[in-house]
Amino acid sequence: MIPLILPKDKPLISQAASYKLNEIIVFKKRDRLIAHRIVYVSPDKNFFITKGDNNLSADGKVKKEKILGKVTMVKRGNQIIDLAHLYLAQSFSYLRALKEIVKKLNSDKIAFIILKGLPLHIFYTGKIPKRLYVDIDILVRGKDFGRVTKILEKEGFVPIPSRFFGKRIKEPSQISFVKPAKPFPIEIDLHQEATPGFAKAREINRLLPSGDIFNEYLFKNIKKIRVNDASFPVLKTEALCLYLLLHLFRHNFKGGHRFELLDTIFRQEKIDWKEVSDKLSLFEFTNFVYPAILLLKNLYKTPLPRKFLRDISPSPSKKILADIMIRTVDPFSRRGRAFEGSQKAVFVLLLSPKGLKEKFKVLVNRKTLVYFFGVIKFLFFKTFTNSSKSARALFGVA
C-alpha cells in the first residue's frame, strides 16, 4: 500500500456495518492478515475483490465474514494520520499544479483536452477520490507537442524517457512527466494521439482505426467544467464515452477504476446513444470496445438501452470472440508491461475489422516479428533470472 501506508505504519482498524468501494479493509486469508483496498463490490454485496495499491494481482473474492474491519487512520511514529487527509492533500496538489498548467497553455493559445484524471472524477462523482490518483492524461495536437513539453519542463516536470526493452523510443506519441513533490509526486501523461497505437511495433497500428480523424473529432467536442475555482477543458459526454471505452481496450479491459467512471457516467448522464453507436461504427471502434461493454453489463449491471446494444452488436464471430475474451481476462489484475503489450497486440490482430490478407501482412512483417521476438526474449530471461534467484535463495548460494 506504499506510498499511502508505509512499512512501519500501524493501521488502526475500526469495525463497520458495511464496506464501500476504495475503502481499505483488513481480512484474513490463509492465516495471514491483509490490509488491501476494495476494487470491486459485487452488485448483490455478497463479496468484494481487493488489491494492494502496488500489487499487480488482485486477491480474489473476499467474503464479508472474513473482514475484520477497515483502515481509516494509521499510526506513524507518534503521529496519527487520517487517510482522508492524505487523499485531500494529494488532490489539492494535483489541482493546484494542473491549474497553473492550464493557465500557461491558455495564455499560449494551445488547444488541449484533459482526457481523464482527477478533474473528471470530482466533476462526475462530486467528491474527492478515496484513493491516490496515478496520473492525468492531456491530449494536444502533434504540432503543439514540443511547445507543451517545454511548458511542462518550465513548470518543474521532468520527462520520463520512453523505452522499449531498455532502448529509447524516438518520436514517441506519448511522454510521461513527473514533478517531484512531497509527500506525493505529480504525474502527467502527454498524448498527441487518442487511439491506442503502438510506439515501437508501429506496423500493428495499420490494423487500428485512423487516429487523426478521431483526434479531430475530439477537438471539435470540448466542453468546460469547473472544479473549485478552476476551469478545465474536457470532452463532451458522447465523445468522452467513446474515448473511455477505447481506453479500456488500450489497457486490455483492465482497471476497476476505469469501469467505475464509465458506469457512473452511463448511469447519471443524459446520453445520446445513437450518437455513440453511430460514431463507434464510423470510426470502426465497435469490435474493440464490445468486450468492455459486456464486462460493464456482467460485472456492474450497467443499464444500457437494448437498441444501443443491438446497434453496436458486431459480427457473430466477433461476438463469440468477445465472449471468450471476457471469460479469460481478469479486469482487476495485470501483468508486466511486456506481457500486457504483447496481449494487446494479439487483441488488435483478433479484433481488427481488417481482412485476413492485411492481418497476415502485418503479422509476418519483419518489424512485427522483431517486436514479438523481443517480448518473448524479455519474458524468457526475466523468468529464468527469477528462477535462478529463487534457486540460489533455496539452496543458500550467494
Side-chain angles (χ1 to χ4, degrees), residues 368-385:
T368 306
L369 293 174
V370 167
Y371 170 77
F372 279 113
F373 177 75
V375 170
I376 293 167
K377 182 180 176 184
F378 175 83
L379 292 174
F380 173 79
F381 280 108
K382 186 176 180 181
T383 303
F384 178 77
T385 303

mmCIF file of all heavy atoms in Angstrom, residues 368-385:
data_model
loop_
_atom_site.group_PDB
_atom_site.id
_atom_site.type_symbol
_atom_site.label_atom_id
_atom_site.label_comp_id
_atom_site.label_asym_id
_atom_site.label_seq_id
_atom_site.Cartn_x
_atom_site.Cartn_y
_atom_site.Cartn_z
ATOM 1 N N THR A 368 7.182 -6.418 -36.978
ATOM 2 C CA THR A 368 6.264 -7.082 -36.049
ATOM 3 C C THR A 368 6.921 -8.307 -35.428
ATOM 4 O O THR A 368 6.814 -8.546 -34.219
ATOM 5 C CB THR A 368 4.967 -7.504 -36.772
ATOM 6 O OG1 THR A 368 4.402 -6.375 -37.432
ATOM 7 C CG2 THR A 368 3.957 -8.069 -35.783
ATOM 8 N N LEU A 369 7.609 -9.091 -36.260
ATOM 9 C CA LEU A 369 8.279 -10.290 -35.755
ATOM 10 C C LEU A 369 9.381 -9.926 -34.766
ATOM 11 O O LEU A 369 9.569 -10.617 -33.758
ATOM 12 C CB LEU A 369 8.862 -11.084 -36.929
ATOM 13 C CG LEU A 369 7.831 -11.719 -37.877
ATOM 14 C CD1 LEU A 369 8.520 -12.356 -39.071
ATOM 15 C CD2 LEU A 369 6.980 -12.751 -37.146
ATOM 16 N N VAL A 370 10.105 -8.838 -35.058
ATOM 17 C CA VAL A 370 11.150 -8.372 -34.131
ATOM 18 C C VAL A 370 10.529 -7.990 -32.795
ATOM 19 O O VAL A 370 11.076 -8.286 -31.723
ATOM 20 C CB VAL A 370 11.923 -7.175 -34.738
ATOM 21 C CG1 VAL A 370 12.776 -6.487 -33.676
ATOM 22 C CG2 VAL A 370 12.793 -7.635 -35.891
ATOM 23 N N TYR A 371 9.349 -7.348 -32.842
ATOM 24 C CA TYR A 371 8.654 -6.954 -31.610
ATOM 25 C C TYR A 371 8.300 -8.189 -30.775
ATOM 26 O O TYR A 371 8.623 -8.264 -29.586
ATOM 27 C CB TYR A 371 7.389 -6.171 -31.950
ATOM 28 C CG TYR A 371 6.486 -5.927 -30.753
ATOM 29 C CD1 TYR A 371 6.784 -4.943 -29.816
ATOM 30 C CD2 TYR A 371 5.344 -6.700 -30.540
ATOM 31 C CE1 TYR A 371 5.969 -4.723 -28.706
ATOM 32 C CE2 TYR A 371 4.525 -6.490 -29.444
ATOM 33 C CZ TYR A 371 4.843 -5.503 -28.532
ATOM 34 O OH TYR A 371 4.045 -5.306 -27.450
ATOM 35 N N PHE A 372 7.652 -9.165 -31.400
ATOM 36 C CA PHE A 372 7.244 -10.358 -30.658
ATOM 37 C C PHE A 372 8.452 -11.154 -30.174
ATOM 38 O O PHE A 372 8.444 -11.704 -29.071
ATOM 39 C CB PHE A 372 6.325 -11.239 -31.514
ATOM 40 C CG PHE A 372 4.902 -10.785 -31.533
ATOM 41 C CD1 PHE A 372 4.323 -10.285 -32.691
ATOM 42 C CD2 PHE A 372 4.128 -10.837 -30.386
ATOM 43 C CE1 PHE A 372 3.009 -9.864 -32.705
ATOM 44 C CE2 PHE A 372 2.805 -10.421 -30.385
ATOM 45 C CZ PHE A 372 2.248 -9.928 -31.559
ATOM 46 N N PHE A 373 9.511 -11.205 -30.989
ATOM 47 C CA PHE A 373 10.725 -11.894 -30.559
ATOM 48 C C PHE A 373 11.327 -11.195 -29.337
ATOM 49 O O PHE A 373 11.772 -11.845 -28.385
ATOM 50 C CB PHE A 373 11.755 -11.918 -31.699
ATOM 51 C CG PHE A 373 13.070 -12.553 -31.297
ATOM 52 C CD1 PHE A 373 13.179 -13.926 -31.151
ATOM 53 C CD2 PHE A 373 14.186 -11.760 -31.048
ATOM 54 C CE1 PHE A 373 14.382 -14.503 -30.770
ATOM 55 C CE2 PHE A 373 15.390 -12.327 -30.665
ATOM 56 C CZ PHE A 373 15.486 -13.711 -30.524
ATOM 57 N N GLY A 374 11.316 -9.858 -29.354
ATOM 58 C CA GLY A 374 11.827 -9.098 -28.212
ATOM 59 C C GLY A 374 11.034 -9.362 -26.950
ATOM 60 O O GLY A 374 11.597 -9.496 -25.858
ATOM 61 N N VAL A 375 9.703 -9.437 -27.086
ATOM 62 C CA VAL A 375 8.837 -9.727 -25.932
ATOM 63 C C VAL A 375 9.137 -11.113 -25.375
ATOM 64 O O VAL A 375 9.305 -11.299 -24.166
ATOM 65 C CB VAL A 375 7.348 -9.617 -26.332
ATOM 66 C CG1 VAL A 375 6.460 -10.164 -25.208
ATOM 67 C CG2 VAL A 375 6.975 -8.177 -26.630
ATOM 68 N N ILE A 376 9.201 -12.111 -26.276
ATOM 69 C CA ILE A 376 9.453 -13.491 -25.840
ATOM 70 C C ILE A 376 10.816 -13.593 -25.161
ATOM 71 O O ILE A 376 10.972 -14.227 -24.109
ATOM 72 C CB ILE A 376 9.367 -14.456 -27.044
ATOM 73 C CG1 ILE A 376 7.917 -14.507 -27.563
ATOM 74 C CG2 ILE A 376 9.847 -15.847 -26.663
ATOM 75 C CD1 ILE A 376 7.771 -15.175 -28.913
ATOM 76 N N LYS A 377 11.811 -12.955 -25.760
ATOM 77 C CA LYS A 377 13.162 -12.968 -25.199
ATOM 78 C C LYS A 377 13.188 -12.335 -23.812
ATOM 79 O O LYS A 377 13.769 -12.877 -22.866
ATOM 80 C CB LYS A 377 14.108 -12.221 -26.143
ATOM 81 C CG LYS A 377 15.567 -12.191 -25.695
ATOM 82 C CD LYS A 377 16.401 -11.419 -26.719
ATOM 83 C CE LYS A 377 17.835 -11.281 -26.244
ATOM 84 N NZ LYS A 377 18.639 -10.456 -27.189
ATOM 85 N N PHE A 378 12.501 -11.185 -23.677
ATOM 86 C CA PHE A 378 12.453 -10.479 -22.398
ATOM 87 C C PHE A 378 11.774 -11.335 -21.335
ATOM 88 O O PHE A 378 12.281 -11.486 -20.220
ATOM 89 C CB PHE A 378 11.712 -9.150 -22.569
ATOM 90 C CG PHE A 378 11.506 -8.399 -21.288
ATOM 91 C CD1 PHE A 378 12.508 -7.603 -20.762
ATOM 92 C CD2 PHE A 378 10.297 -8.473 -20.604
ATOM 93 C CE1 PHE A 378 12.321 -6.914 -19.581
ATOM 94 C CE2 PHE A 378 10.099 -7.784 -19.421
ATOM 95 C CZ PHE A 378 11.117 -6.992 -18.913
ATOM 96 N N LEU A 379 10.613 -11.905 -21.684
ATOM 97 C CA LEU A 379 9.871 -12.712 -20.718
ATOM 98 C C LEU A 379 10.644 -13.971 -20.327
ATOM 99 O O LEU A 379 10.635 -14.387 -19.170
ATOM 100 C CB LEU A 379 8.504 -13.093 -21.296
ATOM 101 C CG LEU A 379 7.509 -11.940 -21.491
ATOM 102 C CD1 LEU A 379 6.257 -12.433 -22.205
ATOM 103 C CD2 LEU A 379 7.137 -11.306 -20.155
ATOM 104 N N PHE A 380 11.354 -14.579 -21.306
ATOM 105 C CA PHE A 380 12.122 -15.787 -21.016
ATOM 106 C C PHE A 380 13.250 -15.489 -20.034
ATOM 107 O O PHE A 380 13.419 -16.182 -19.029
ATOM 108 C CB PHE A 380 12.694 -16.371 -22.308
ATOM 109 C CG PHE A 380 13.640 -17.524 -22.068
ATOM 110 C CD1 PHE A 380 13.155 -18.791 -21.786
ATOM 111 C CD2 PHE A 380 15.020 -17.330 -22.117
ATOM 112 C CE1 PHE A 380 14.028 -19.849 -21.553
ATOM 113 C CE2 PHE A 380 15.895 -18.379 -21.887
ATOM 114 C CZ PHE A 380 15.394 -19.645 -21.606
ATOM 115 N N PHE A 381 14.033 -14.431 -20.322
ATOM 116 C CA PHE A 381 15.167 -14.116 -19.453
ATOM 117 C C PHE A 381 14.714 -13.624 -18.088
ATOM 118 O O PHE A 381 15.364 -13.896 -17.077
ATOM 119 C CB PHE A 381 16.074 -13.084 -20.124
ATOM 120 C CG PHE A 381 17.004 -13.679 -21.140
ATOM 121 C CD1 PHE A 381 16.805 -13.472 -22.492
ATOM 122 C CD2 PHE A 381 18.058 -14.496 -20.741
ATOM 123 C CE1 PHE A 381 17.646 -14.041 -23.431
ATOM 124 C CE2 PHE A 381 18.910 -15.065 -21.670
ATOM 125 C CZ PHE A 381 18.702 -14.845 -23.033
ATOM 126 N N LYS A 382 13.575 -12.942 -18.059
ATOM 127 C CA LYS A 382 13.057 -12.498 -16.765
ATOM 128 C C LYS A 382 12.656 -13.706 -15.921
ATOM 129 O O LYS A 382 12.957 -13.789 -14.732
ATOM 130 C CB LYS A 382 11.845 -11.576 -16.976
ATOM 131 C CG LYS A 382 11.323 -10.959 -15.689
ATOM 132 C CD LYS A 382 10.189 -9.991 -15.956
ATOM 133 C CE LYS A 382 9.689 -9.387 -14.655
ATOM 134 N NZ LYS A 382 8.563 -8.442 -14.870
ATOM 135 N N THR A 383 11.965 -14.673 -16.557
ATOM 136 C CA THR A 383 11.552 -15.885 -15.850
ATOM 137 C C THR A 383 12.770 -16.684 -15.388
ATOM 138 O O THR A 383 12.837 -17.172 -14.263
ATOM 139 C CB THR A 383 10.669 -16.766 -16.763
ATOM 140 O OG1 THR A 383 9.553 -15.999 -17.189
ATOM 141 C CG2 THR A 383 10.188 -18.007 -16.026
ATOM 142 N N PHE A 384 13.769 -16.791 -16.289
ATOM 143 C CA PHE A 384 14.984 -17.540 -15.959
ATOM 144 C C PHE A 384 15.744 -16.888 -14.804
ATOM 145 O O PHE A 384 16.185 -17.557 -13.877
ATOM 146 C CB PHE A 384 15.892 -17.617 -17.195
ATOM 147 C CG PHE A 384 17.200 -18.335 -16.941
ATOM 148 C CD1 PHE A 384 17.246 -19.724 -16.877
ATOM 149 C CD2 PHE A 384 18.371 -17.618 -16.741
ATOM 150 C CE1 PHE A 384 18.442 -20.380 -16.625
ATOM 151 C CE2 PHE A 384 19.566 -18.276 -16.499
ATOM 152 C CZ PHE A 384 19.598 -19.655 -16.443
ATOM 153 N N THR A 385 15.835 -15.537 -14.847
ATOM 154 C CA THR A 385 16.542 -14.807 -13.787
ATOM 155 C C THR A 385 15.844 -14.972 -12.450
ATOM 156 O O THR A 385 16.469 -15.226 -11.421
ATOM 157 C CB THR A 385 16.642 -13.312 -14.140
ATOM 158 O OG1 THR A 385 17.303 -13.174 -15.400
ATOM 159 C CG2 THR A 385 17.427 -12.551 -13.079
#
